[in-house]
């Protein structure tokens, strides 16, 4: 990373931990603590860890740019009404030289590497402060931070790196595993992926072998009287827990082209009795026809996500036509009913996550996955009302289906998750039909979650006109669209 920015990053690390932050566990460190003082206590360690998780939900990362807005617009998921020269118009046309677009991409890069360095500071202090945490706690946090480091590097590789299946040896990104102020070299994509990211994931999986989630599930609520009341070890869906790390491993192996092992890991998760118990499928009886309190993000199925207190603002300012103004994100006319959900509008995702557009001149549908929910008691808001997904169990079905050695098994596994979405089974046809069906499931499942850009970049080929929510035409998966340049500030100091 840039030498001139490393000292600033260290200051920011302590800075955002020293102020009150908006997090679900409500841990607020005291002002003016030094780093040494911060890590001298158990609560200090967890405050630092919470600060890292809070960074994920920032607008620069998964709170906006890498979820529902910038990266989904880059993947042609919407037809934004923004005028020429705006970030949204540049994103949808792949004009990565536009000033606002360059600023957005630079913000993604900067925040990701700040957060990575913060992970390294915590990892370093786990080793240096061995008497503060119990051995089990130290191992658990080490696993979480290694997984976070791998997760962020992986998305920087997927965003800024080459189209991997075409140029695996191309120069990509640096891998930061140090707290030192140094100018890190750019590494080849293959090296980053196989020598560093997978290494950290394997270690994280080992360290999380005694994760409380394995015996007690996600514990997505406050402790009941007479039970384990340690808040630090609850809400495992808001942490890199054991199951989330295994899912990340499957995701990375698939991107690396190792279908045999990716499929093996994915199948382990979807066939695990405990996983099915702890992360059950969404209940249609509680979902359909429920406009007030429906769990539109299918939170019970999410292996890992984020707490976002103002999640409903996403709908208000980006998807609701009466308020969104020039930031409005909508699909092109009739895209949903003629293409994405054609002949299958009974799909739970369409029924619960899309609402008819209202207002003068409004047409089509608004994306409502993050629309505000209304509860009888505003002081008793359930977990899922402020939850945003990062890793879903459904993705493991898609990976297992894609990696199955027999075409009949690919359809069988894909039909298992389709059944959980209220749509009929697909007949076995051929490889081309299966891939088209698989991509359609990804498109339906991950609206507003930022995964489609990465899917297209991994698969290559074309974005078919029936998948293009921006324009009625095919678009090639090319370097020009799918390989943004590294931020100028990163290149300048090399």
């Amino acid at each position: 990373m840039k030498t001139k920015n490393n000292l600033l990053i260290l200051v920011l690390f302590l800075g955002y931990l020293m102020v009150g932050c908006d997090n679900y566990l409500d841990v607020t460190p005291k002002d003016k603590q030094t780093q040494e003082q911060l890590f001298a206590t158990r609560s200090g360690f967890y405050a630092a860890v919470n600060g890292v998780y809070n960074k994920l939900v920032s607008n620069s990362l998964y709170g906006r740019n890498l979820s529902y807005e910038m990266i989904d617009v880059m993947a042609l998921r919407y037809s934004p009404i923004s005028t020429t020269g705006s970030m949204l118009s540049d994103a949808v046309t792949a004009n990565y030289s536009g000033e606002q677009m360059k600023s957005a991409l630079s913000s993604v890069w900067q925040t990701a590497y700040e957060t990575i360095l913060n992970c390294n500071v915590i990892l370093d202090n786990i080793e240096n402060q061995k008497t503060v945490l119990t051995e089990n706690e130290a191992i658990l946090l080490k696993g979480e931070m290694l997984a976070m480091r791998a997760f962020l590097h992986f998305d920087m590789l997927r965003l800024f790196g080459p189209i991997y299946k075409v140029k695996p040896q191309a120069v990509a990104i640096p891998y930061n595993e140090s707290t030192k102020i140094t100018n890190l070299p750019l590494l080849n994509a293959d090296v980053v992926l196989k020598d560093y990211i997978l290494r950290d994931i394997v270690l994280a999986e080992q360290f999380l072998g005694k994760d409380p989630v394995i015996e007690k599930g996600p514990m997505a609520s406050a402790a009941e009287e007479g039970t384990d009341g340690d808040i630090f070890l609850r809400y495992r869906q808001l942490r890199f827990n054991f199951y989330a790390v295994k899912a990340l491993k499957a995701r990375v192996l698939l991107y690396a082209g190792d279908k045999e092992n990716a499929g093996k890991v994915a199948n382990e998760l979807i066939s695990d009795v405990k996983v099915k118990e702890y992360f059950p499928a969404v209940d249609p009886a509680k979902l359909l026809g429920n406009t007030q309190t429906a769990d539109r993000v299918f939170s019970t199925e999410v292996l890992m996500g984020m707490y976002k207190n103002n999640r409903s603002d996403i709908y208000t300012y980006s998807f609701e036509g009466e308020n969104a103004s020039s930031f409005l994100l909508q699909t092109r006319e009739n895209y949903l009913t003629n293409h994405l959900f054609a002949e299958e509008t009974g799909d739970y995702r369409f029924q619960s996550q899309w609402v008819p557009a209202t207002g003068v001149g409004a047409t089509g549908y608004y994306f409502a996955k993050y629309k505000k929910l209304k509860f009888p008691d505003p002081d008793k808001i359930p977990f899922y009302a402020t939850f945003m997904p990062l890793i879903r169990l459904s993705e493991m079905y898609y990976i297992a289906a894609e990696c199955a050695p027999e075409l009949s098994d690919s359809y069988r596994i894909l039909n298992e998750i389709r059944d959980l979405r209220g749509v009929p089974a697909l007949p076995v046809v051929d490889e081309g039909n299966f891939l088209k069906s698989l991509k359609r499931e990804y498109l339906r499942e991950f609206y507003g979650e930022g995964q489609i850009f990465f899917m297209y970049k991994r698969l290559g080929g074309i974005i078919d006109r029936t998948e293009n929510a921006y324009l009625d035409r095919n678009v090639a998966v090319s370097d020009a669209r799918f390989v943004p340049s590294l931020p100028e500030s990163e290149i300048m100091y090399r």
Side-chain angles (χ1 to χ4, degrees):
M1 289 192 299
K2 305 168 286 297
T3 302
K4 66 176 287 189
N5 286 326
N6 276 330
L7 184 57
L8 173 61
I9 293 170
L10 284 169
V11 173
L12 286 173
F13 172 76
L14 291 177
Y16 75 74
L17 291 177
M18 294 312 109
V19 298
C21 54
D22 192 11
N23 69 72
Y24 205 83
L25 302 185
D26 195 29
V27 177
T28 306
K30 297 178 181 179
D31 292 338
K32 299 180 181 179
Q33 284 178 308
T34 65
Q35 186 181 149
E36 183 177 289
Q37 290 172 325
L38 178 68
F39 291 109
T41 65
R42 180 175 184 258
S43 62
F45 261 103
Y46 281 100
V49 170
N50 289 343
V52 166
Y53 282 106
N54 277 341
K55 274 294 191 181
L56 292 184
V57 81
S58 68
N59 286 340
S60 296
L61 294 179
Y62 304 93
R64 186 176 68 191
N65 283 347
L66 295 183
S67 56
Y68 68 89
E69 195 197 58
M70 182 194 79
I71 200 163
D72 261 5
V73 175
M74 290 165 65
L76 305 177
R77 310 232 67 193
Y78 307 106
S79 185
I81 63 173
S82 296
T83 57
T84 302
S86 70
M87 188 277 286
L88 295 179
S89 65
D90 284 343
V92 80
T93 58
N95 177 25
Y96 299 139
S97 62
E99 290 304 314
Q100 291 191 48
M101 190 66 204
K102 287 195 296 185
S103 176
L105 288 168
S106 179
S107 177
V108 169
W109 178 275
Q110 182 75 20
T111 307
Y113 275 98
E114 286 175 7
T115 310
I116 288 166
L117 189 136
N118 298 340
C119 291
N120 295 339
V121 171
I122 294 171
L123 287 167
D124 189 57
N125 277 278
I126 289 174
E127 293 301 317
N128 293 335
Q129 303 280 5
K130 292 188 176 181
T131 61
V132 176
L133 301 170
T134 66
E135 182 179 358
N136 285 340
E137 280 184 304
I139 291 172
L140 188 73
L141 292 187
K142 189 181 294 186
E144 290 187 31
M145 292 300 96
L146 285 170
M148 176 75 80
R149 185 169 79 183
F151 175 80
L152 289 167
H153 277 109
F154 182 51
D155 276 1
M156 292 308 97
L157 177 67
R158 293 200 291 177
L159 177 56
F160 292 100
I163 297 176
Y164 183 79
K165 68 184 295 184
V166 178
K167 299 177 182 178
Q169 299 299 324
V171 172
I173 65 169
Y175 200 90
N176 185 16
E177 49 188 340
S178 172
T179 61
K180 295 179 181 178
I181 301 174
T182 184
N183 193 16
L184 297 171
L186 296 177
L187 303 174
N188 291 353
D190 210 36
V191 171
V192 173
L193 193 61
K194 295 178 179 178
D195 292 357
Y196 291 92
I197 293 174
L198 276 171
R199 177 206 62 187
D200 277 357
I201 291 173
V202 169
L203 286 172
E205 184 181 359
Q206 293 171 358
F207 288 136
L208 289 164
K210 294 184 179 180
D211 189 332
V213 74
I214 297 171
E215 295 300 326
K216 300 179 181 179
M219 297 183 284
S221 64
E224 298 178 359
E225 186 175 352
T227 63
D228 181 4
D230 192 340
I231 194 70
F232 293 133
L233 300 179
R234 298 188 67 82
Y235 297 98
R236 296 306 295 164
Q237 279 174 292
L238 294 174
R239 297 289 187 260
F240 261 110
N241 62 74
F242 176 76
Y243 298 120
V245 170
K246 285 184 71 72
L248 177 62
K249 184 179 181 181
R251 180 187 285 182
V252 171
L253 287 167
L254 181 65
Y255 202 82
D258 186 352
K259 286 191 172 183
E260 180 180 354
N261 285 309
K264 180 180 178 181
V265 176
N267 275 297
E268 286 174 0
L269 281 166
I270 64 177
S271 62
D272 190 311
V273 174
K274 285 187 176 181
V275 172
K276 290 182 178 180
E277 176 188 352
Y278 296 152
F279 303 94
V282 64
D283 183 354
K286 297 179 181 179
L287 181 71
L288 304 182
N290 179 359
T291 61
Q292 302 295 310
T293 63
D295 180 5
R296 299 190 185 99
V297 300
F298 301 3
S299 68
T300 57
E301 303 178 21
V302 178
L303 298 175
M304 182 198 170
M306 312 172 294
Y307 167 72
K308 186 173 176 66
N309 183 51
N310 60 343
R311 192 188 75 177
S312 61
D313 287 349
I314 295 173
Y315 176 76
T316 301
Y317 297 115
S318 292
F319 298 103
E320 186 179 27
E322 296 178 7
N323 296 295
S325 186
S326 62
F327 297 100
L328 178 65
L329 297 174
Q330 253 190 307
T331 64
R332 63 181 169 91
E333 189 174 6
N334 299 322
Y335 165 75
L336 293 171
T337 52
N338 288 0
H339 298 297
L340 187 59
F341 291 98
E343 300 179 2
E344 292 185 347
T345 54
D347 191 311
Y348 300 159
R349 293 163 292 195
F350 181 74
Q351 292 290 316
S352 65
Q353 296 172 2
W354 296 90
V355 296
T358 58
V360 178
T363 59
Y365 292 83
Y366 293 150
F367 179 59
K369 182 180 282 187
Y370 302 123
K371 186 178 181 181
K372 186 174 183 178
L373 302 177
K374 299 178 181 179
F375 300 93
D377 187 346
D379 295 325
K380 295 182 179 180
I381 305 299
F383 172 77
Y384 66 80
T386 52
F387 189 55
M388 289 185 70
L390 287 173
I391 302 176
R392 289 186 173 278
L393 182 59
S394 56
E395 184 181 355
M396 298 302 103
Y397 284 87
Y398 302 144
I399 292 175
E402 183 178 348
C403 297
E406 300 294 333
L407 185 61
S408 58
D409 288 330
S410 294
Y411 276 96
R412 174 183 56 79
I413 297 169
L414 190 62
N415 284 331
E416 287 181 23
I417 188 64
R418 280 174 57 83
D419 180 61
L420 298 177
R421 298 295 178 254
V423 287
L426 297 169
V428 177
V429 182
D430 55 37
E431 290 284 355
N433 175 270
F434 168 75
L435 183 59
K436 183 177 181 179
S437 299
L438 178 68
K439 288 197 287 187
R440 187 172 63 240
E441 288 303 312
Y442 269 96
L443 290 166
R444 293 178 179 183
E445 187 79 1
F446 294 107
Y447 245 108
E449 298 182 26
Q451 292 301 317
I452 300 307
F453 179 90
F454 301 138
M455 178 197 75
Y456 281 128
K457 191 167 182 176
R458 176 178 66 82
L459 293 173
I462 64 167
I463 300 175
D464 189 82
R465 55 173 290 275
T466 61
E467 301 164 8
N468 187 339
Y470 171 51
L471 294 173
D472 184 16
R473 62 182 176 86
N474 295 344
V475 174
V477 176
S478 63
D479 285 357
R481 175 167 286 280
F482 283 88
V483 188
S485 298
L486 296 184
E488 290 179 354
S489 56
E490 175 66 24
I491 299 170
M492 188 180 303
Y493 294 98
R494 293 198 169 276

